[in-house]
């Protein structure tokens, strides 16, 4: 069985925004990755899958969680940068 990629890579889109790329090479936005992760968790909690299916779902869930984490860390960095700029601008005005 192929293992999921350990990290989410980023690529620039035509609009200049980053997109998280999963191990399969598909670009996912935060909301799409989150929604798929919710579905994976629901399927795992429901049970009724074989061990192999459960392991594949678990690996996909791990990959999706990394994509979500990537997006959230990027949002945090943008927020921190914006707040730092705001503080610098207010320091200059004084």
């Amino acid at each position: 069985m192929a293992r999921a990629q350990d990290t989410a890579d980023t690529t620039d889109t035509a609009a200049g925004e980053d997109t998280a790329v999963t191990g399969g090479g598909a670009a996912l936005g935060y909301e799409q990755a989150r929604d798929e992760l919710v579905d994976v968790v629901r399927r795992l909690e429901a049970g009724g899958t074989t061990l192999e299916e459960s392991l594949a779902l678990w690996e996909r869930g791990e990959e999706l969680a990394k994509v979500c984490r990537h997006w959230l860390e990027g949002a945090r960095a943008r927020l921190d940068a914006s707040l730092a700029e705001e503080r610098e601008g207010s320091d200059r005005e004084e």
Side-chain angles (χ1 to χ4, degrees), residues 31-92:
E31 289 81 6
Q32 185 181 1
R34 181 203 58 213
D35 291 347
E36 188 178 340
L37 179 57
V38 167
D39 184 57
V40 165
V41 170
R42 182 191 55 76
R43 290 171 62 192
L44 283 169
E45 287 178 342
T49 58
T50 66
L51 177 59
E52 193 64 29
E53 291 168 336
S54 295
L55 288 172
L57 284 169
W58 181 270
E59 288 175 343
R60 180 64 178 161
E62 288 290 330
E63 185 176 301
L64 292 164
K66 288 175 186 176
V67 170
C68 290
R69 192 169 31 254
H70 163 81
W71 278 108
L72 293 172
E73 288 170 355
R76 171 50 78 186
R78 289 176 60 192
L79 180 59
D80 289 345
S82 179
L83 291 172
E85 284 179 22
E86 188 176 303
R87 280 192 296 269
E88 288 175 11
S90 117
D91 289 345
R92 289 184 202 132

